[in-house]
Amino acid sequence: HLSPLLGVCWLCHASIVAAAEASSFYSYGWETQLLETCFLAMFLCSPTAPRAHPTRSVLWLFRWLMFRISIGAGLIKTRGGSCWAKKTCLWYHFETQPVPSPASFFFHFLPRPLLSRGVDVDLVVQLYTSWLVLVVGPGRAVRWMRRAGGAMQAGFMVMIAGSGNFSVLNHLTIVPALSCLDDACWPRVLRSRAPAPRRRGALRRLVDVALVLLVAKLSRPVVENLLSSQQVMNTAYDPFKIVNTYGAFGSVGEARYEPVISLSTDGATWTE
């Protein structure tokens, strides 16, 4: 059964992150994002009905996660390095990012006007259209707006994964974006064959209400951080890291510095 299995995985990883919290290696955003994603995934499946469809409450919590990831990354760029305002960040990013991929060489030497337009795309997706994943209301038009928002976020992550080596984080961010894409978006052969959703039992409704209230309470400092001019990235406000704040590349270095190790046996002749 997936729910207990995900619960064990979440508990194990939370224990590792808590034990290594002082290490800089575990201070990146993907640790808290993985914990939050796994925590919500535990409630996708019903403990009493393994084949039941996910409830709307859990899907909306995934959309709330997607919105916070995207808007947090967009806002930190407007409040961070000036290169985002000058639209020059991508002139250097593909060379100076922590772990460039083989494709980064190609992206780095694209025409600079095109790279500047890439900054516009980044800000449009993360800052100006991220709210689409939270569109609420009846009708096909609203559903298609939400689908478009999820598709843009997922597609943007695929593009970033192709130009750098943060694939784990990009794939992880695609997960909440998929909550905006219902079965009708996919080819018939890929659609769910689960039985029609049944009416939720009292226990499941109680779990959903408790989960929504918990996330709402823990979201308060996260929202305050997003609205603050002193916004911080990748921070947890509760010990279990259930609801967190995210962001990436508030500033971009313009030069790449790498250590060079030299050896010498006589102090005069050095070999790198």
Side-chain angles (χ1 to χ4, degrees), residues 89 91-100 108 249 252-257:
C89 279
W91 296 7
Y92 320 103
H93 166 71
F94 299 110
E95 178 185 15
T96 63
Q97 62 180 312
V99 190
H108 178 67
F249 294 107
V252 174
E254 297 185 8
R256 186 175 186 86
Y257 300 98

Side-chain angles (χ1 to χ4, degrees), residues 1 44-57 192-205 208:
H1 195 291
L44 279 174
C45 302
S46 170
T48 58
R51 294 182 60 83
H53 288 228
T55 61
R56 291 184 179 181
S57 300
S192 171
R193 298 182 180 180
R198 297 178 300 176
R199 183 178 178 83
R200 291 182 298 166
L203 177 60
R204 180 64 206 228
R205 287 198 296 269
D208 284 349

Side-chain angles (χ1 to χ4, degrees), residues 197-231:
R198 297 178 300 176
R199 183 178 178 83
R200 291 182 298 166
L203 177 60
R204 180 64 206 228
R205 287 198 296 269
L206 181 62
V207 170
D208 284 349
V209 170
L211 180 61
V212 170
L213 292 176
L214 174 64
V215 172
K217 176 178 174 57
L218 297 177
S219 294
R220 180 176 177 178
V222 174
V223 173
E224 291 175 349
N225 176 69
L226 288 173
L227 298 176
S228 172
S229 59
Q230 304 299 318
Q231 177 190 1

Side-chain angles (χ1 to χ4, degrees), residues 147 177-178 180-192:
R147 290 173 177 173
L178 294 178
C180 300
L181 306 178
D182 52 76
D183 285 354
C185 296
W186 304 97
R188 190 175 298 275
V189 295
L190 298 178
R191 296 179 187 177
S192 171

